[in-house]
Amino acid sequence: MKYFLSLLICLFVSVAHAEDLLVPVSKFDNDSQQLTDSKVLEFWAYHNYNGDDNYQNTLRLRYYNPLALGEWRGRIRLDTAYVSNFNSISSANNSGQYSAGQTMVTVWGQDNGLLKSLGALVGGRVIFPFGNNGQWAVGPQLGWSFQPEIDTLLHVTDFSPLIRYMYGFDTKNNSVSANPSQPALLRSLQLFPTIGFQLTPDTMLRFWDENGMVYNSAGGGWFVPIDAMVTHRFAKNWVFAVGGSKQVVQTYKQYDWSAYAKISFNF
């Protein structure tokens, strides 16, 4: 009996501490429809290790802009990149040689009719294969932004999950002789369980913001990384961030690890 009472006390204390640390689900407010009108220009740099002595450096330019069509309000995001693939043998010769990478257009916004009951931001993405290789792909997405109504010891800022399904339908160089190593057509479910924590008034820690989980619906297999990024606002309109991602489940091959950084200008 004494042991049982001790166990109950420990359980009660643990629950009490959990309530101090975590925000109950009922204390999150869905503010997905509150879209910012700011414009954002970002420069990203990535260094990925893909396994088997293969590396990839990527320079990416990303731009966000508000959209308005009648009563509809939304956002558009444009991504374009230059990519360099190399290994330890060829790195001395071509690690600095970049070619055009994929360009993406992503649009999302308020939904006043279709799927209104979900309270989500409805949108989609198109991938243009402007590089030497790659493929055309399109896909719908649903996103949310939940803000905590109370503060806790962990200082949760938001929980912003996103679901996207990408469908590839044509490769740019679809001849095996021209590109024997071309990947299969994309059929992937992408999950971003993004959550943020306030470390200081100007510094945040965010998980699964840049790199999410992927399920290959064509042949099966999961890619699940641990992805973390620290962002710091060092001026009113300027933000700097560094992050890293490491795969923990890879039955669907993507990369082994990734390190990245960005500088962002808001105007």
Side-chain angles (χ1 to χ4, degrees), residues 226-241:
I226 293 294
D227 180 74
M229 176 172 59
V230 176
T231 69
H232 178 71
R233 183 173 297 277
F234 61 91
K236 180 180 179 181
N237 298 325
W238 293 92
V239 173
F240 176 73

Side-chain angles (χ1 to χ4, degrees), residues 191-252:
L191 307 174
F192 293 79
T194 307
I195 187 168
F197 302 91
Q198 198 78 45
L199 302 181
T200 72
D202 296 316
T203 306
M204 292 178 58
L205 172 64
R206 302 187 64 78
F207 290 96
W208 297 290
D209 194 313
E210 182 62 15
N211 296 286
M213 308 169 188
V214 182
Y215 175 70
N216 178 27
S217 62
W222 279 93
F223 175 78
V224 179
I226 293 294
D227 180 74
M229 176 172 59
V230 176
T231 69
H232 178 71
R233 183 173 297 277
F234 61 91
K236 180 180 179 181
N237 298 325
W238 293 92
V239 173
F240 176 73
V242 292
S245 184
K246 178 69 175 74
Q247 57 87 2
V248 291
V249 175
Q250 189 168 228
T251 52
Y252 174 49

Side-chain angles (χ1 to χ4, degrees), residues 49 58 187 196:
Y49 176 60
T58 303
R187 303 284 191 276

Side-chain angles (χ1 to χ4, degrees), residues 19-96:
E19 290 179 349
D20 290 337
L21 291 173
L22 304 175
V23 178
V25 174
S26 62
K27 295 299 182 180
F28 276 96
D29 179 52
N30 186 350
D31 73 337
S32 302
Q33 306 299 317
Q34 304 301 317
L35 295 171
T36 176
D37 289 330
S38 66
K39 300 176 182 179
V40 184
L41 182 63
E42 297 180 340
F43 177 78
W44 291 78
Y46 307 80
H47 177 65
N48 289 8
Y49 176 60
N50 299 325
D52 300 324
D53 193 36
N54 293 311
Y55 295 84
Q56 183 180 76
N57 288 335
T58 303
L59 302 176
R60 182 179 300 279
L61 191 66
R62 183 177 296 170
Y63 175 67
Y64 296 84
N65 197 80
L67 286 180
L69 296 173
E71 295 182 356
W72 183 88
R73 295 293 182 271
R75 303 275 288 172
I76 184 171
R77 171 180 142 182
L78 306 176
D79 290 73
T80 188
Y82 277 88
V83 179
S84 172
N85 297 290
F86 61 98
N87 55 42
S88 59
I89 297 176
S90 63
S91 59
N93 297 321
N94 69 354
S95 62

Side-chain angles (χ1 to χ4, degrees), residues 133-155:
N133 303 295
Q135 59 186 266
W136 289 89
V138 297
Q141 70 177 45
L142 292 174
W144 294 263
S145 178
F146 299 97
Q147 303 290 327
E149 299 175 354
I150 60 174
D151 197 9
T152 65
L153 294 176
L154 290 179
H155 303 301

